[in-house]
Amino acid sequence: MWEDMKACFIFSQSKDPLMQLPCACKPAFIVAGLAFLKPELSPIQFQNLIMIATALILGSKFSLTQISLMWLREKSVSTLSEFLADGKFSPVEMQRLHLLNMRDTYKIERGYFLIDDTMKHHTKFCKWIHGAQVLFDHALGTNLKATCIVFLYYSDGGLIKFPIDHRIFYQEESPMAWRRGMKIEHKTKNDLALEMLQWALDNGFPKCMVLADSWFGVDPFIKGLKRLDLGFIVEIKSNFKVRVPFKEPKRTSSGRLSKKQYELIKITLHFLSISEIRICGFAAKKDNGKEEKALYHTKIANVRFNSISGTHRVIESHDPAAQSTKYLITDQLSWEATKIISTYTHRWAIEEFFRNAKQLTDMEGATVRSGQGVTIALCLVSWIDSLFHLENWKQSAAGGLTKGPLTVPSIVRRAQYENLEAFLKKIDEDKNFVERWVSVEKKKIDRSRKKRSKLVDLGEICFEKAA
């Protein structure tokens, strides 16, 4: 049997394989990890969710057709589509169950709230997909059709990481067909981020320090964080101006003291007047002979901005290798530059989440049209990311990882290897499984081209002469 089928194993576990290895088992960490959703889902709905999650982890695109094929048509495309788009469950309640499960599993007491937005790009045939809009992509420097999603992510700075919630950003007006007849409430990204933070706190999540990039470094967002009593480190843009007191009191023409006893100076110019520079980097390591490495030249000051109320600590961080400069603002007025930068680097966890969501679980490939379907697809990508890090954390806590924590792709490869072992076992023991697999692959072999229609003369167009 094995010799006869060797040729069938020339496959790839990439997202575009010549022959996709079918799902032969449901990984235990997926079934156990998503069990928190059982109170909201029926047994059939739960099994559908497990099957979709398993297929995505084992290499399927987020295509219901391909997911159905990976399960050898055990579930039809229409069944999976109906589950995502029209299933009778509450995505909001499912997100709440996920939050409570993560909070109680890890026993979270402190950590970091990471906030950022990403774009889920679409092709030009996306006018009926909920959330799709014409947006400007700053990374590509052009307008394109995409869904903009704001994510709230948690990290303890170590192994514990998971998405908390997400919100779709809607433009005030959009010509996209899916918005016809719909009343969509427009909210800024700042409002969406603050809304998610409030939701997390209302559901018993402890207060954590907020880390965000420069798109959130504006006064409304900073004020919202202060209202929620959350500490923060946020990047700001270099065009901000600071209030610098006059050396001598300024008076009006009548001799009275002026109301404004300060001048506005760009933050870049203000830091030119500061001479003390601290170098941040890695210390030398005697055990492996590595020399110390300087990464950033930093300056620090407590200032008052013209556009952000209150006094804040600001750090200018210059990277001499990349010849780039960043400015970070925090409410921690006594922190040193090294501590501020070290804390802010934990924000990179949400960028890794975006990469894994797009490359490993094909977030951009999901083409479900309805609002519920789009929401559940985003939730599923988030829950899968939570399962990856939960599995890593469990193995590290149990002493199963001797060389430190694994990368997310490594956990995916482990799941794919377990599926390979289960697949080979089924080949030897389950004749029906082999016949179904061969049948499904055989039907995929040939695809007929459309017949070319013959052009014919349809007659002459007659125009009436004007009177």
Side-chain angles (χ1 to χ4, degrees):
M1 169 73 75
W2 175 247
E3 293 297 327
D4 294 338
M5 301 189 67
K6 274 187 178 179
C8 295
F9 288 93
I10 306 175
F11 61 84
S12 168
Q13 284 300 98
S14 69
K15 291 293 178 182
D16 191 19
L18 297 175
M19 181 180 291
Q20 189 76 47
L21 189 68
C23 299
C25 66
K26 298 170 184 173
F29 79 93
I30 298 177
V31 178
L34 294 178
F36 66 89
L37 295 171
K38 286 184 176 180
E40 185 63 19
L41 300 176
S42 68
I44 297 298
Q45 289 175 333
F46 183 73
Q47 289 304 316
N48 289 339
L49 187 72
I50 294 297
M51 293 175 74
I52 296 174
T54 299
L56 291 175
I57 291 174
L58 296 183
S60 171
K61 293 182 179 180
F62 210 131
S63 161
L64 299 185
T65 300
Q66 189 169 343
I67 292 171
S68 176
L69 291 174
M70 284 194 68
W71 284 102
L72 304 182
R73 301 189 188 279
E74 182 178 335
K75 296 283 185 177
S76 67
V77 174
S78 60
T79 298
L80 298 177
S81 178
E82 190 278 335
F83 161 68
L84 291 175
D86 302 310
K88 304 302 180 184
F89 47 73
S90 170
V92 175
E93 177 61 17
M94 294 166 75
Q95 279 290 75
R96 191 185 73 85
L97 291 173
H98 171 251
L99 173 69
L100 298 180
N101 179 63
M102 292 293 100
R103 183 199 66 186
D104 297 339
T105 299
Y106 291 122
K107 296 179 173 57
I108 293 172
E109 296 181 354
R110 62 181 64 86
Y112 307 102
F113 285 136
L114 316 179
I115 295 174
D116 203 354
D117 66 299
T118 188
M119 285 193 181
K120 178 174 173 284
H121 298 107
H122 298 292
T123 66
K124 61 182 180 180
F125 307 108
C126 66
K127 61 182 181 180
W128 292 106
I129 297 179
H130 183 90
Q133 303 162 104
V134 178
L135 300 166
F136 183 78
D137 190 320
H138 293 271
L140 300 177
T142 185
N143 288 319
L144 43 74
K145 292 178 180 178
T147 302
C148 182
I149 312 117
V150 182
F151 277 92
L152 173 60
Y153 199 86
Y154 171 83
S155 172
D156 72 336
L159 290 178
I160 302 176
K161 308 171 189 177
F162 56 88
I164 294 177
D165 200 6
H166 71 267
R167 295 286 190 276
I168 296 176
F169 169 76
Y170 300 108
Q171 295 173 319
E172 290 188 66
E173 295 181 357
S174 174
M176 300 299 286
W178 67 268
R179 287 191 66 160
R180 293 174 185 171
M182 294 182 64
K183 292 184 178 180
I184 300 292
E185 183 182 2
H186 166 73
K187 295 181 181 179
T188 66
K189 295 178 184 178
N190 299 322
D191 291 336
L192 296 175
L194 293 171
E195 185 179 282
M196 289 189 289
L197 289 169
Q198 182 70 68
W199 178 81
L201 297 176
D202 290 344
N203 281 281
F205 211 87
K207 293 182 178 180
C208 303
M209 175 161 285
V210 177
L211 310 178
D213 64 10
S214 60
W215 295 107
F216 297 89
V218 292
D219 188 51
F221 184 67
I222 301 297
K223 280 184 177 179
L225 296 180
K226 292 178 179 178
R227 176 179 55 81
L228 296 174
D229 193 25
L230 296 173
F232 58 87
I233 301 176
V234 179
E235 184 181 348
I236 59 172
K237 296 182 179 180
S238 59
N239 60 353
F240 277 53
K241 293 183 178 180
V242 299
R243 298 178 179 181
V244 179
F246 290 119
K247 295 181 179 179
E248 299 291 336
K250 184 179 179 181
R251 298 182 179 275
T252 64
S253 57
S254 61
R256 296 180 179 180
L257 286 175
S258 175
K259 291 183 179 179
K260 293 184 179 180
Q261 292 295 322
Y262 59 83
E263 60 178 334
L264 297 179
I265 299 178
K266 286 188 66 174
I267 192 171
T268 52
L269 298 177
H270 177 68
F271 273 100
L272 287 176
S273 64
I274 299 176
S275 58
E276 183 180 354
I277 300 176
R278 305 291 299 178
I279 300 177
C280 299
F282 299 132
K285 295 183 178 180
K286 296 181 180 180
D287 55 344
N288 56 14
K290 284 189 175 182
E291 300 179 353
E292 69 175 29
K293 183 178 181 180
L295 296 177
Y296 307 108
H297 296 172
T298 65
K299 297 180 180 181
I300 200 164
N302 289 352
V303 302
R304 291 181 64 89
F305 288 97
N306 190 51
S307 57
I308 301 178
S309 59
T311 301
H312 299 90
R313 198 160 181 81
V314 182
I315 176 175
E316 181 187 69
S317 174
H318 177 70
D319 184 348
Q323 288 297 306
S324 62
T325 303
K326 289 187 176 182
Y327 296 90
L328 304 177
I329 178 176
T330 179
D331 62 336
Q332 306 299 315
L333 301 181
S334 60
W335 281 19
E336 295 301 324
T338 302
K339 186 174 183 179
I340 295 173
I341 293 178
S342 298
T343 301
Y344 187 73
T345 57
H346 295 310
R347 197 193 71 83
W348 189 250
I350 195 171
E351 301 290 353
E352 293 177 337
F353 162 63
F354 292 154
R355 179 196 63 196
N356 293 332
K358 294 177 180 180
Q359 294 182 0
L360 297 179
T361 50
D362 196 30
M363 181 178 76
E364 292 188 321
T367 55
V368 186
R369 293 183 175 185
S370 70
Q372 175 174 295
V374 170
T375 300
I376 290 298
L378 292 172
C379 288
L380 188 55
V381 169
S382 300
W383 298 334
I384 290 174
D385 181 81
S386 298
L387 296 185
F388 288 149
H389 295 294
L390 179 60
E391 182 69 7
N392 211 359
W393 175 77
K394 285 181 177 179
Q395 293 190 27
S396 296
L401 301 177
T402 57
K403 296 183 179 180
L406 297 174
T407 63
V408 169
S410 297
I411 298 174
V412 172
R413 287 190 291 270
R414 283 191 172 195
Q416 292 173 345
Y417 183 77
E418 291 175 5
N419 184 67
L420 174 61
E421 290 183 320
F423 174 75
L424 296 177
K425 186 176 180 180
K426 281 205 170 190
I427 287 179
D428 292 332
E429 300 177 357
D430 191 343
K431 183 178 179 181
N432 181 53
F433 176 83
V434 176
E435 291 176 351
R436 286 171 53 207
W437 180 47
V438 172
S439 174
V440 168
E441 292 298 334
K442 188 175 181 180
K443 290 179 181 179
K444 291 164 52 181
I445 294 175
D446 296 326
R447 292 185 180 180
S448 301
R449 286 184 172 273
K450 291 182 179 180
K451 292 184 178 180
R452 185 174 179 179
S453 300
K454 184 180 179 180
L455 290 177
V456 296
D457 188 344
L458 299 179
E460 181 180 359
I461 299 176
C462 296
F463 296 96
E464 294 183 4
K465 294 183 178 180

